[in-house]
Amino acid sequence: MRNFVPFLLVLFVIAALLRADFFFTIAYLFFAVYLLSRLWTRRTVKHLRVQRRFVDRAFLGDRVRVDLTVQNTGWLPIPWLEVHESLPVQLTAPPFYREVVSLGPHERRHFAYTLNCRQRGYYPIGPLTMQTGDLLGIARRNQTQVAPEHIIVYPRVVPLQELGLPTRSPQVALPARSHLFEDPARVMGVRDYQRGDSPRRIHWTATASAGRLLVKQYQPSIARETLICLDLNREDYERRQRYTATELAIVVAASIANHIIVREGLPAGLATEAWDPLLDDGARFLLPPRSERAHLMSLLEVLARVQVTLAAPFVDLLRCESVNLPWGATLAIITGRESEPLFDTLVYLQRAGFAVALILVQPGRQSPELRERANLLSVPIHRIWAERDLETWR
Amino acid sequence: MNRNPWPENLFRPLVIGVLFGCIALSLVELVHLFFPAWNGTILIVSCVLAALEANYSYRLIRARSLRGADALKFRAVELAMFFLLLKIGGYIGDRWTDVLADIQTWPRDPLAILDPETTVAFILALLSWRTSTQTARDLERIGEPPEQHRHYVPPIESLTSRFFWGGTVLLIVAGLTRIGIAALLDLRRPSVPGLVFNVLVYFLLGLVMLGQMQFTRLRKQWEAQRIKIAGELAGRWARYSLAFIGLAALLAFLLPTGYTVGLLDVVGSALELIGVILWFVARLLIFLVTLPLWLLLWLLSRLFGDQVPPPQSDFTLPELPQQEPGGAAPDWSEMLRSLLFWAVALGMVFYVVRSYLHDHPELLKALTGLGPIRALRRFLTAFWHRLVGLAETVGERIPRRLSLRRVRRKPSEEPFRFFRLGALSPRERILYYYLSILRRAGQQGFPRQRAQTPHEYDAILGPNLPQAQQEMALLTQAFVEARYSRHTFDREQARRVRADWQRVKAALRALRCKADASDPSGADEEHTGQDQNPPGGSEALAGIADAGAGQGSNRGMPGERTE
């Protein structure tokens, strides 16, 4: 209200000129309205408390309910309060929640809305902007903001059979259980003696106890660790299919990790270089192989938020991160493009004693040249693109 | 949100009608000053009814979508009806015969229909009707997107301006009615007490209306943005508005309104009061200063028998402002009341202007950009800088002058005081040894120049003492450390420095013996084992700062005593 103050001054001048006592009362009335409006608006914002409650981790397809509580902790009522919560457009439409309420002294209001987790990612819930003002529109509107919180939507995890990877998977040894090396210091159990077993393996104490020949079973001593190397370099994916391909690559990485850790109970890690919205910058992620479920969750969290970026060549990442792996470890390499440097690196990794599997996320069928090259290198190469491809693999 | 139709259908038209009625009432009261016999009720009623009818007709035209000629016809009939009703209203209270007689004159003299009373009432009712129509239109336009032209005024601004203009007119008219037009220019007239009911109603209802307008504006804005609005908001808005305005009114009624002493008189009285207090303090100081003198004189008088008048101890306050001839003396409670009033009023104006400028930085910028204000600001800034500079200079110079005065005190004025070298701390002893050498060397023709540092002085004196050159260097180094470092010194270090000091002293003595051999008139002080001018230890050490910093004078250095 632009002309309130000039009128107030005019009122005072008139009262002073006419010397009518009551006119001063009118001037005071307007001054009190002006003063109280300003003080009221300023004070009410200070007494606002906000609480936001939601499950901050969700899987694709989940519906997450967000409960928002706004409380006026002061004695002064808040005549109107405009609540505006900014939301990610990927999770809800329209991308905000807005409501106008009035809060009495110490009153608390609850708001609730639901997010549809339709796309993996790391999303901010908020900021929550609250605006209030006075009853007459005299004082300036006062605004306060509550910092956003974040929700992680994990990528889709497909059972590995659906991808058709098991028998040709990077962990080829897993289903067969044929251990190349065993550690005689780690006795896993006993079994009945079979022809050909070395007498050194006979467990004499158990044999005496059971009354039949039993031999020791040792734990495999070869490294069974798997490092999933995910290529999120923008240049390694065709421009038109970049989004689809990278999303699929992430789904493949999450599915392999889930399969190894949950179903096989073996360690799996992740190495990738990507854009991290949390840091708002590119970052290199290296999660060393572990077999705990908690590790799987942190691995999925990284996969939930990473985005393509313009990074160093992918082969540099492979060479760099393989240094820390034990001999015999498996590298599941997921990328969008095959290239000479990549094949050179695969040869290098094989010679370094690693088991390597290449998963190409690109359209089309595997070319004879590629198949020939894979045979030459003895590297299993899988091409994944669409659901149809997956079906043929089942 | 479900809209409640009552505020739009009943509350607003009624409020607008009452607001116009309040203004009309004051106008009628003013006219009564000139024509006491005139009955103005019809005018008040016609203004209120015109405001109500304007609201209704505006909504009717909008509802029927009347435009162009149809709307004009409607308006013409409406105005004719107004006039007719006013004319009929003017006959209320008259006898039928008079009314009929008046009507019979119309065919002969048609202008007789337009009698002054009806014409004035019609004009005022027309004004009320027109303003009410505009108000109704503005109320409906609230929340609409702004029009893109230069002279566009937002409806809220238009409504508030109308309310404020109406209020200004009302205040002036009501004020003139209360004080009388003749007394308008008499600035010494007493203030007019008493509540003016229609003014109070106008402003209270107007504020309630402003609250409703703000609510309408926000609600339309929220609806346009499709924001969900809580159902209880409208009810609470009304309740809070009433409570808020009630609280403001209560506060307004508690504050002082009347004053008997003008602003300048209050300021004058306040200054006079300050003067009285200062005068009292001065008298008290004089009394305290003269009291010992009086006691002395009193003792003398007791001895010699003379009478001594007692000291001035009359602390009665001087006469405060006296009453004007023929006027009443200013009552202090009235003065206090006036002071409170002016403090509140000026505080109010100051706060409002300050917060307004704070909210409108562009206005503040424009104001500060004005030539005279800029020049005044520049002058004040320069004046302030000058004052600050002056204070800084005084702050720097006074301590320097004091220290210089202390340094320049003549040695002969210094009192003779014995001091014991053993009573000094190791650090003080080292300083003393060096200063002693400085004094002795000075006496032998190697004075230290003011600008020389200890090391520079060592470079001059050392070559002249070939048998103690190294000891002199060690002594200088020890002095520098003792003077400028924060190291702690023990007695052993002081003893070592003492050994160096004694060697340097011996070398200086040898140098003097050599000089005495060539000049037999020289005095021998060493036989006494005491300096000619032995100063106190503290005074001796006071010159250290200058000696170390190369700023000291070559005054006589302190003598020494053997431990």
Side-chain angles (χ1 to χ4, degrees), chain B residues 454-476:
Chain B
H455 287 294
E456 286 170 349
Y457 182 62
D458 177 41
I460 301 293
L461 183 63
N464 291 294
L465 304 170
Q467 65 274 41
Q469 190 172 1
Q470 195 180 349
E471 285 77 9
M472 182 61 202
L474 288 171
L475 185 61
T476 305

Side-chain angles (χ1 to χ4, degrees), chain B residues 11 55 61 65 67 158 190 231 275 302 306 336 338 359 383 422-423 546:
Chain B
F11 174 74
N55 210 291
I61 287 174
S65 304
R67 290 171 191 282
S158 176
R302 295 286 290 182
D306 291 340
L336 200 66
S338 300
D359 290 348
F383 182 67
D546 295 330

Side-chain angles (χ1 to χ4, degrees), chain B residues 53-332:
Chain B
E53 197 278 337
N55 210 291
Y56 176 75
S57 63
Y58 177 77
R59 294 178 69 177
L60 199 68
I61 287 174
R62 296 276 293 176
R64 293 185 180 178
S65 304
L66 295 179
R67 290 171 191 282
D70 292 339
L72 273 176
K73 271 183 216 166
F74 185 91
R75 291 298 190 194
V77 171
E78 199 179 351
L79 294 179
M81 286 298 291
F82 259 136
F83 188 81
L84 196 61
L85 286 172
L86 281 172
K87 193 70 190 167
I88 294 168
Y91 288 128
I92 292 173
D94 291 356
R95 286 181 301 179
W96 274 109
T97 49
D98 294 343
V99 173
L100 283 173
D102 192 38
I103 291 171
Q104 280 167 359
T105 59
W106 290 0
R108 292 196 303 273
D109 181 15
L111 285 176
I113 300 171
L114 301 170
D115 63 295
E117 191 181 340
T118 311
T119 309
V120 169
F122 180 70
I123 289 169
L124 286 175
L126 199 64
L127 204 64
S128 169
W129 175 83
R130 171 77 184 142
T131 316
S132 294
T133 308
Q134 284 177 341
T135 304
R137 186 185 299 138
D138 285 336
L139 282 170
E140 204 171 87
R141 276 172 56 223
I142 289 178
E144 285 180 3
E147 293 165 17
Q148 300 295 326
H149 62 82
R150 222 169 48 180
H151 304 293
Y152 171 73
V153 180
I156 284 274
E157 296 297 333
S158 176
L159 285 165
T160 50
S161 295
R162 201 167 295 131
F163 168 60
F164 292 150
W165 275 114
T168 309
V169 169
L170 176 63
L171 281 179
I172 291 169
V173 172
L176 287 177
T177 311
R178 293 291 175 289
I179 64 173
I181 294 175
L184 185 62
L185 296 174
D186 179 16
L187 295 176
R188 291 192 167 272
R189 68 180 181 277
S191 60
V192 183
L195 188 143
V196 189
F197 188 71
N198 62 324
V199 172
L200 181 67
V201 168
Y202 179 88
F203 283 109
L204 286 181
L205 273 182
L207 284 173
V208 173
M209 193 71 185
L210 284 184
Q212 281 300 305
M213 276 157 34
Q214 172 72 354
F215 176 64
T216 308
R217 186 169 75 96
L218 287 173
R219 195 195 60 211
K220 287 197 176 174
Q221 199 177 309
W222 294 327
E223 281 172 353
Q225 293 173 358
R226 295 181 182 178
I227 300 177
K228 192 177 160 190
I229 304 170
E232 78 282 357
L233 195 67
R236 283 193 180 187
W237 193 288
R239 281 201 298 276
Y240 291 153
S241 294
L242 289 175
F244 177 72
I245 292 165
L247 182 70
L250 184 70
L251 199 67
F253 275 103
L254 288 177
L255 289 172
T257 51
Y259 63 97
T260 49
V261 186
L263 178 62
L264 292 176
D265 293 336
V266 168
V267 172
S269 297
L271 287 175
E272 222 163 318
L273 189 67
I274 291 168
V276 166
I277 291 167
L278 286 176
W279 178 88
F280 178 78
V281 171
R283 291 293 293 268
L284 184 67
L285 285 174
I286 290 166
F287 170 74
L288 291 173
V289 166
T290 54
L291 191 62
L293 191 66
W294 178 82
L295 281 172
L296 191 66
L297 289 172
W298 181 75
L299 282 172
L300 288 172
S301 70
R302 295 286 290 182
L303 286 172
F304 300 107
D306 291 340
Q307 287 296 318
V308 176
Q312 182 67 31
S313 59
D314 180 17
F315 296 122
T316 51
L317 290 170
E319 286 295 321
L320 285 168
Q322 292 298 314
Q323 64 182 73
E324 292 170 12
D331 184 4
W332 279 102

